[in-house]
Amino acid sequence: MSLTGVFGSLLKESISEKIKNTLMMGVGLCVLYIGISGISTNTNIMILIFLLQLVQL
């Protein structure tokens, strides 16, 4: 996950503001989902976190 964070940091300047805002909304929705699904014990949060890191590229 740290590797995708490094790629995101390197590409941060080349992404337009509209895409950044859309990604931040997506991150907010995923955080909300993680919070709500944290109540349930049958969810696999690690898959969602991994996919979220891939989307941020």
Side-chain angles (χ1 to χ4, degrees), residues 1 30 45-56:
M1 288 196 315
C30 287
I45 300 299
M46 290 305 294
I47 292 174
L48 181 62
I49 292 172
F50 178 72
L51 291 174
L52 178 62
Q53 289 295 319
L54 288 178
V55 169
Q56 287 184 353

Side-chain angles (χ1 to χ4, degrees), residues 17-56:
E17 194 66 31
K18 185 177 179 181
I19 294 174
K20 287 180 187 178
N21 289 335
T22 303
L23 288 175
M24 289 305 291
M25 285 184 192
V27 169
L29 288 174
C30 287
V31 168
L32 182 64
Y33 173 76
I34 290 170
I36 292 171
S37 68
I39 298 169
S40 174
T41 59
N42 296 329
T43 56
N44 192 351
I45 300 299
M46 290 305 294
I47 292 174
L48 181 62
I49 292 172
F50 178 72
L51 291 174
L52 178 62
Q53 289 295 319
L54 288 178
V55 169
Q56 287 184 353

